[in-house]
Amino acid sequence: PIPLLSILFILAFFRFVKGKTIYFPVAIFICALLYNFELATVLFPIILFMFLFYGIWKKKKWAKIFNKRTIFLSVAALTPMIPILIYDFKNGFFQTIKFAGWLFFQALGSVGIKIIPQDPHPSWESFITFFLYEFRRIFFYRSEDVSSLILVTVIVLNILLFYKLYKTKGLKINYVIFYFTSFVLFGGFISQRESSGAYLTMLFPYFVILVSVSLLALKKYQRKVGYLIIIVVSVLNSYFLLKEYRSTEVGGLKKLIQASEFIVNDSGGERFQLERKNFKSNIDINHYRYLVWWKGGKLDANSRIEYGIYNATEWKPENYIYEDGAIYITKTEKKTIVLIK
C-alpha cells in the first residue's frame, strides 16, 4: 500500500496548493496511514509542513487553513495514529518522541553537526551498488550498464527541464511540488545510505514519474529520439522477459514454474504451507508462493503439511522429493496427537 498512498499523498498535496483546503486534512490522513506501515514515511508530513510554512510566510491564499473546520478535520485525520500512540504509551515512546529526537540528531549529523554518536552507515560503494541494482530491477533488469545509462539520462533530462522551465517562467506549482518532494525523499534516502528495500517502496512512484517526465520532455523537444528510446527499451524488455520465461537454465523462470506445478500436483488439492529452509539463502519464497497460488495451490499457514525449499548450493536435505539443480523440495507432515482421558 505504500506506493499507492505515496501517489495519493502527492495528489492531495497538489489539490491543497491549488486552493482546495479540504485536501489538507486528506494529506494528513494519508501521512498517518503511511506512518503505520513505515517510520521512514515521516518525511511526507515534514514535506507538507515545510511547504505550508513557506505558504504562510509568502502569504499565499492556499495557506490560509486556520479555520475551525480545517483544524477539526486535520485533528480527526490523525485517527490512524491511535494504534501507534497506544503502543508507544506502553513501551516508552520509541516510535514517536524518541524517534523524532533520533531523526533530528541524524539530520544534524548529515550536515556535519554531531551532537551525539551517529549510527554507522553503509559504505558509499555498497549503497551505490544496492541503488543501481534496485533501479535495474525496475527498468532494465538484464543489463546494469543500460539501466545506469537510463538513470543518468533521467537525472540530466530532469535537471535540464527544471532549468528550462525556470528560465522561461513556465515552472508551474505542480512541478515545484513534485521536484521538491522528490528532492527531500531521495535526499533523505541518500544521506542515510540505507541499503534496504523497505525504503524503496515510498520512492518507487517517484522513480516512475521522473522517468515519465523525462520521456515526455524528450517527446516534446526531440520527438523522434523520445519515441525511439521508448520503443527500444520496450522491445528489449519484452524480448528478455520472453527469453527468461522460455529458458530452461537452472534458476530460470521456467524452472520456478515447473517446481511450483510439482508442488501443486503433489499436494493433491490439500492445503499446505510453503517455507524457505535456508534462512541465509537468496531464494525469495514469495516468488514460489505466488506461482503456487497462480497454479491453483491452496496455501495455508496453519496446515499440518509443509513443503520446504532449500538452496541446492548450500544444503542437500535428506528425503527430498524434487530437485532441479537450483533447489531441493521436501515434504513433511505434522502428526495430530489425540489425548485420551
Side-chain angles (χ1 to χ4, degrees):
I2 293 178
L4 174 61
L5 289 172
S6 299
I7 289 293
L8 293 177
F9 168 79
I10 202 76
L11 178 61
F13 197 175
F14 283 159
R15 296 288 175 84
F16 163 58
V17 175
K18 287 289 185 179
K20 298 181 179 181
T21 55
I22 188 63
Y23 281 94
F24 181 76
V26 172
I28 293 290
F29 179 75
I30 294 170
C31 289
L33 284 176
L34 281 165
Y35 199 76
N36 278 268
F37 293 109
E38 173 57 57
L39 295 183
T41 58
V42 70
L43 290 174
F44 286 104
I46 290 175
I47 292 166
L48 181 64
F49 280 98
M50 287 174 69
F51 222 84
L52 175 63
F53 292 146
Y54 167 80
I56 294 172
W57 177 47
K58 290 293 186 178
K59 297 181 180 179
K60 300 288 186 180
K61 288 184 179 180
W62 52 263
K64 297 178 180 179
I65 63 166
F66 297 102
N67 55 70
K68 291 182 179 179
R69 181 192 177 204
T70 306
I71 292 173
F72 174 77
L73 289 174
S74 299
V75 172
L78 292 171
T79 303
M81 288 293 294
I82 291 176
I84 288 180
L85 294 173
I86 291 173
Y87 174 86
D88 258 23
F89 187 77
K90 296 179 179 179
N91 294 277
F93 297 98
F94 281 100
Q95 296 185 103
T96 49
I97 297 174
K98 291 183 179 179
F99 177 68
W102 174 86
L103 192 67
F104 175 73
F105 288 117
Q106 287 293 314
L108 290 178
S110 298
V111 295
I113 305 173
K114 297 182 180 180
I115 299 175
I116 61 173
Q118 298 290 298
D119 290 344
H121 299 303
S123 66
W124 279 108
E125 183 181 358
S126 63
F127 171 74
I128 292 172
T129 301
F130 164 78
F131 185 80
L132 290 178
Y133 172 73
E134 293 297 331
F135 189 86
R136 187 183 78 183
R137 288 180 63 193
I138 298 172
F139 292 104
F140 203 86
Y141 183 73
R142 300 295 293 189
S143 172
E144 186 172 309
D145 293 334
V146 174
S147 62
S148 299
L149 179 62
I150 293 173
L151 176 61
V152 172
T153 304
V154 167
I155 293 172
V156 171
L157 284 175
N158 275 278
I159 291 174
L160 292 175
L161 177 62
F162 184 87
Y163 178 75
K164 182 178 180 64
L165 292 173
Y166 177 77
K167 291 293 287 185
T168 58
K169 296 182 180 180
L171 194 61
K172 297 180 181 179
I173 192 66
N174 54 340
Y175 278 104
V176 174
I177 291 172
F178 173 70
Y179 281 122
F180 178 72
T181 303
S182 300
F183 178 80
V184 173
L185 291 176
F186 284 103
F189 177 66
I190 293 170
S191 67
Q192 296 300 306
R193 303 201 291 275
E194 291 291 351
S195 301
S196 171
Y199 297 97
L200 293 176
T201 53
M202 65 181 185
L203 299 175
F204 172 74
Y206 298 90
F207 270 135
V208 176
I209 294 174
L210 283 169
V211 172
S212 301
V213 169
S214 303
L215 292 173
L216 285 172
L218 273 175
K219 181 182 173 183
K220 183 176 181 180
Y221 300 108
Q222 294 289 334
R223 179 169 293 188
K224 292 182 179 179
V225 176
Y227 280 126
L228 179 63
I229 291 175
I230 293 172
I231 292 170
V232 169
V233 172
S234 300
V235 169
L236 288 176
N237 268 318
S238 300
Y239 168 75
F240 286 120
L241 180 62
L242 291 171
K243 184 180 179 182
E244 180 75 16
Y245 177 76
R246 294 174 179 174
S247 173
T248 57
E249 295 178 4
V250 172
L253 178 59
K254 197 162 188 175
K255 289 290 187 181
L256 265 69
I257 293 174
Q258 289 173 351
S260 302
E261 288 176 339
F262 171 83
I263 293 172
V264 173
N265 294 332
D266 186 77
S267 68
E270 292 192 65
R271 295 182 177 277
F272 58 89
Q273 300 181 52
L274 182 59
E275 301 294 337
R276 183 184 68 180
K277 291 301 182 179
N278 307 68
F279 291 105
K280 293 183 179 180
S281 170
N282 59 358
I283 290 175
D284 190 336
I285 193 63
N286 289 319
H287 293 170
Y288 288 94
R289 285 174 177 161
Y290 171 76
L291 291 172
V292 163
W293 167 81
W294 179 45
K295 292 296 181 178
K298 298 177 181 179
L299 293 169
D300 184 351
N302 297 315
S303 174
R304 58 188 175 81
I305 300 172
E306 180 185 274
Y307 288 90
I309 295 182
Y310 293 78
N311 187 328
T313 61
E314 297 177 5
W315 188 260
K316 183 177 180 179
E318 295 180 2
N319 303 320
Y320 62 87
I321 60 174
Y322 180 89
E323 66 91 16
D324 65 3
I327 62 167
Y328 291 102
I329 296 177
T330 60
K331 181 180 181 180
T332 56
E333 187 172 343
K334 298 176 184 177
K335 294 182 179 180
T336 305
I337 301 175
V338 179
L339 298 176
I340 302 174
K341 294 183 179 180

